[in-house]
Amino acid sequence: MDPKTNPKFQKLTDNEFKELLEVTRNIFAFARFIFVVHPIRGKVRFELYKYQKAVLWHFIKDRFNIILKFRQAGITELISMYSLWLAMYHPSKNVQIISIKDRVAKKVLRKIKYMYKNLPDHLKVSVVNGRPGENGTATEMEFANGSMISSVPTTEDAGRSEAVTLLVIDEAAIVRWASTIWKAAFPTLSTGGSAIVNSTPYGVGNWFHNTWVDAISGGNSFTPIRLFWKMHPERDQKWYDEMRDALGPRGCAQEIDGDFLSSGFSVFDLTDIKAIEDTLFDFIPIETRFDHNLRIFDKPKQGIRYYLGADISTGRSRDYSAFTLMERGGEEAAVYKGKMPVGKFANLLMEVGRKYNNAVLAPETNDIGLAITSKIQDSGYPNLHYSEIILRKKKDRNRKKTEEVPGWLTTTKNRPIIIDELEEDIRNDNVLVKDPFFVQEAYTFIYNERNKPIAMGKEKRSSESEQEDAITYTDDAILGKAITNFVRKGKTKSAVIAPR
């Protein structure tokens, strides 16, 4: 350490020098000198619990960490201590902490200042900004070694700055513009920076929830860290029962159990979706492509019949194209959700189909999907699903004429049927779902006021110019999976009565 960063450096005793040397190299040693304010006992030494030590180890070991926590887990204090250690003992570091409001941001920095204030003098690196004795300003601490800690409220421009060493998004589930902030900040981390995202759950379909679900399935760079209230040594069943009585079952599930919840009348039982989510860890893809949008879980098995149903979009709107590849027995082998031009998507479907024993392909043929099914048909693909349209003539309704169209034709009559069958098969464990895209959508897939199963808010979407973080949900992975599930159990043709 440069003597200029600590005016008392040359006056250190041998013991003080050893302590300084140890804490600069070992944050766990540094923790022994940290004090925090306990809500009951006041000023106490920050004695790390086992789960806090484990989280701290991840901060050191992994670049990107996402934490799903229970309320009052002491994670804000842990992040504060880590930020102080990183800035004081590592020159020219830029730590940026983003909180939900200005008041909260200032409170976080006050925690850091409290830790700094109560350090022994020989462990301090001088703070060079702010008024004398204030250890920085209300939003920043700048150290003599060139490092800085900034704690700022959420804005659309938060995260847009020079290179960031450590980005912290606190209570990310309720941070506005979280997706915009992350996209803006990520390039500033490209030089080797790291990120810590933490929150209690607050609804589903938001950036935190989607990033968490993606992380536990290995779909992004984040290390998922799940904290349960029972990990806290001062929490017992009596305490939990008191919390449940005070918060109610729903509030307790969110604040204490750390469960994601949705509103409305969910099509899928949330306990079923939670069970699928908890097992995503067990199904890490053996291969990913298209920026993790395609996830392959199993190699093709000889003698096994596969089925692939797909929901189609143009690749330009807010909807996505999605497919599920299943064995006849209901186990998923691959999933996809993303935006791709229709011609390229048709090629992908045929590529996957051929690889998996010429799987039965059932892409939705409605609207833009007709371009895909026609291309597959023209290519001579051997196992294309056909929908049979029953035509009725006005003069003689008893005489029926049929017409076959390539692909799966979704109608107002068969759409709820295939969704109901998917829900039943999930409830009865007749399918093995490995799909994180499905989990993201299922929490917000509800019955609307007309009892139609649909993504929450989908009917009320405004123009494409609406801000990106507006609450909008999708159901593409669900519909693709529902088609696959229905076709795998039936014939290679499905009958549809054409409207008169």
Side-chain angles (χ1 to χ4, degrees):
M1 180 182 295
D2 189 334
K4 294 180 180 178
T5 62
N6 191 327
K8 299 184 179 182
F9 184 86
Q10 295 176 331
K11 300 180 181 179
L12 298 185
T13 65
D14 289 345
N15 185 58
E16 289 174 337
F17 181 79
K18 289 179 181 179
E19 287 181 344
L20 177 60
L21 189 62
E22 184 182 17
V23 300
T24 59
R25 296 174 175 177
N26 184 350
I27 190 172
F28 295 95
F30 179 68
R32 299 199 302 264
F33 297 93
I34 293 297
F35 286 88
V36 295
V37 177
H38 190 278
I40 305 298
R41 301 195 295 269
K43 179 182 176 181
V44 296
R45 195 177 297 277
F46 192 23
E47 296 181 357
L48 301 181
Y49 300 127
K50 287 184 179 179
Y51 74 88
Q52 291 172 326
K53 291 179 180 179
V55 172
L56 189 57
W57 174 245
H58 280 294
F59 290 171
I60 298 169
K61 183 173 67 76
D62 301 318
R63 281 188 64 192
F64 302 112
N65 292 280
I66 184 168
I67 307 168
L68 177 59
K69 63 187 181 71
F70 58 91
R71 185 67 64 188
Q72 301 300 324
I75 297 303
T76 301
E77 286 76 10
L78 197 68
I79 293 172
S80 298
M81 181 188 72
Y82 177 65
S83 300
L84 180 61
W85 176 80
L86 184 66
M88 281 206 307
Y89 303 133
H90 303 81
S92 303
K93 300 300 183 183
N94 184 8
V95 179
Q96 187 168 97
I97 303 171
I98 299 175
S99 301
I100 53 176
K101 294 182 179 180
D102 181 64
R103 174 177 55 84
V104 178
K106 291 177 178 177
K107 183 178 180 180
V108 172
L109 195 64
R110 285 199 298 268
K111 289 179 183 289
I112 298 174
K113 288 183 177 181
Y114 185 85
M115 293 177 179
Y116 177 84
K117 178 182 177 181
N118 286 282
L119 281 174
D121 287 340
H122 66 280
L123 300 184
K124 292 180 180 178
V125 174
S126 299
V127 176
V128 297
N129 69 324
R131 297 177 181 178
E134 292 187 357
N135 297 322
T137 66
T139 58
E140 291 182 344
M141 289 181 72
E142 185 176 354
F143 297 91
N145 64 356
S147 293
M148 177 177 290
I149 301 174
S150 303
S151 186
V152 297
T154 303
T155 66
E156 285 185 277
D157 295 326
R160 297 179 186 271
S161 66
E162 66 278 3
V164 175
T165 307
L166 173 64
L167 174 69
V168 177
I169 306 180
D170 189 38
E171 289 297 340
I174 51 178
V175 166
R176 293 184 64 190
W177 307 297
S179 177
T180 301
I181 290 170
W182 176 248
K183 289 178 181 178
F186 187 75
T188 71
L189 302 172
S190 60
T191 56
S194 58
I196 300 170
V197 175
N198 80 95
S199 190
T200 48
Y202 191 83
V204 295
N206 53 57
W207 178 81
F208 177 77
H209 172 252
N210 291 338
T211 304
W212 170 261
V213 172
D214 217 21
I216 62 177
S217 63
N220 57 35
S221 301
F222 279 95
T223 297
I225 304 171
R226 179 69 187 270
L227 301 180
F228 299 93
W229 67 268
K230 290 184 178 180
M231 295 177 174
H232 198 300
E234 296 182 6
R235 307 285 189 259
D236 55 18
Q237 189 61 44
K238 179 182 178 181
W239 173 86
Y240 179 81
D241 292 340
E242 290 174 352
M243 292 297 103
R244 187 176 178 85
D245 290 342
L247 299 173
R250 188 178 181 86
C252 186
Q254 178 171 294
E255 300 293 329
I256 308 302
D257 293 323
D259 286 341
F260 291 104
L261 299 170
S262 65
S263 59
F265 300 98
S266 299
V267 174
F268 300 98
D269 190 313
L270 295 185
T271 58
D272 293 332
I273 303 307
K274 182 66 167 55
I276 294 173
E277 181 181 337
D278 288 343
T279 60
L280 290 180
F281 271 119
D282 301 329
F283 305 115
I284 302 301
I286 61 173
E287 180 186 350
T288 62
R289 292 165 58 189
F290 308 112
D291 196 24
H292 298 286
N293 291 331
L294 173 62
R295 305 185 186 192
I296 299 173
F297 301 104
D298 296 308
K299 296 179 179 180
K301 303 172 185 177
Q302 187 175 2
I304 296 296
R305 175 60 67 92
Y306 292 91
Y307 299 82
L308 188 156
D311 184 58
I312 313 297
S313 78
T314 61
R316 296 189 298 272
S317 65
R318 286 190 175 183
D319 287 325
Y320 297 80
S321 292
F323 73 70
T324 293
L325 177 72
M326 271 188 189
E327 299 178 11
R328 189 174 188 87
E331 181 174 355
E332 293 182 349
V335 296
Y336 171 87
K337 180 180 177 182
K339 295 185 177 182
M340 184 181 292
V342 291
K344 187 176 180 181
F345 192 54
N347 291 335
L348 176 61
L349 295 182
M350 289 187 286
E351 175 193 340
V352 173
R354 290 191 178 101
K355 182 177 179 180
Y356 285 81
N357 308 336
N358 285 325
V360 175
L361 298 186
E364 189 179 40
T365 195
N366 302 59
D367 302 323
I368 193 65
L370 182 60
I372 287 183
T373 53
S374 296
K375 182 173 182 178
I376 296 174
Q377 184 184 43
D378 293 342
S379 74
Y381 185 84
N383 277 330
L384 179 60
H385 175 89
Y386 281 82
S387 296
E388 189 177 76
I389 300 178
I390 301 174
L391 304 173
R392 289 180 175 176
K393 294 185 177 181
K394 292 183 179 180
K395 294 183 179 180
D396 189 356
R397 295 184 179 179
N398 292 324
R399 296 182 61 185
K400 298 178 182 180
K401 183 179 179 180
T402 62
E403 178 182 335
E404 288 186 350
V405 296
W408 171 269
L409 184 63
T410 302
T411 68
T412 55
K413 290 187 177 181
N414 67 22
R415 185 179 183 275
I417 292 174
I418 64 174
I419 291 172
D420 284 346
E421 288 213 13
L422 178 61
E423 187 279 327
E424 181 179 354
D425 284 334
I426 288 175
R427 175 163 34 88
N428 294 326
D429 293 325
N430 294 330
V431 289
L432 181 55
V433 178
K434 310 173 184 179
D435 186 356
F437 308 122
F438 170 78
V439 173
Q440 290 171 351
E441 293 182 354
Y443 281 109
T444 54
F445 193 62
I446 63 170
Y447 291 107
N448 66 8
E449 60 273 8
R450 297 190 301 277
N451 206 36
K452 177 183 177 181
I454 193 169
M456 188 186 300
K458 189 173 183 178
E459 293 177 316
K460 299 179 181 179
R461 283 182 181 169
S462 58
S463 67
E464 292 294 325
S465 61
E466 186 179 1
Q467 69 176 39
E468 187 175 346
D469 266 8
I471 299 177
T472 57
Y473 305 103
T474 60
D475 51 20
D476 312 288
I478 291 174
L479 295 179
K481 195 177 305 298
I483 294 171
T484 304
N485 185 60
F486 190 83
V487 172
R488 77 174 174 89
K489 298 186 295 182
K491 301 176 182 179
T492 55
K493 296 181 180 179
S494 57
V496 174
I497 298 176
R500 289 185 295 223

